Amino acid sequence: AVAGSTVELGCSARGDPAPQVQWHKEHGDLPWGRHEVDREHTLRLHAVTSADAGAYVCTAQSQLGTAAATTFLHV
């Protein structure tokens, strides 16, 4: 990603019952005040900087179990 741009990271999680979805960054916090998660579980990072680079993990959890997926952001 280009520094200063907005990045969207998708996470597709479905089930019955619907899973709870959470995003976190490995080895750090999501950028405070510069991130949002929409109803489709897409994580948006605004005005990215080199400090935002790294691994982001989407975790879906329901009473049936937990699944996680990791994506890497390069700035």
Side-chain angles (χ1 to χ4, degrees):
V2 176
S5 66
T6 296
V7 174
E8 293 187 353
L9 304 175
C11 180
S12 178
R14 295 182 198 92
D16 187 13
Q20 292 214 323
V21 176
Q22 292 186 320
W23 278 97
H24 72 274
K25 182 180 180 190
E26 283 186 350
H27 314 297
D29 297 321
L30 293 174
W32 192 85
R34 294 187 296 111
H35 79 276
E36 61 182 310
V37 179
D38 68 18
R39 293 176 67 182
E40 285 76 41
H41 315 300
T42 299
L43 172 64
R44 271 188 203 83
L45 304 173
H46 300 282
V48 295
T49 68
S50 58
D52 297 325
Y56 289 80
V57 181
C58 169
T59 304
Q61 185 172 16
S62 76
Q63 56 193 245
L64 300 177
T66 301
T70 303
T71 189
F72 296 89
L73 175 64
H74 302 277
V75 181

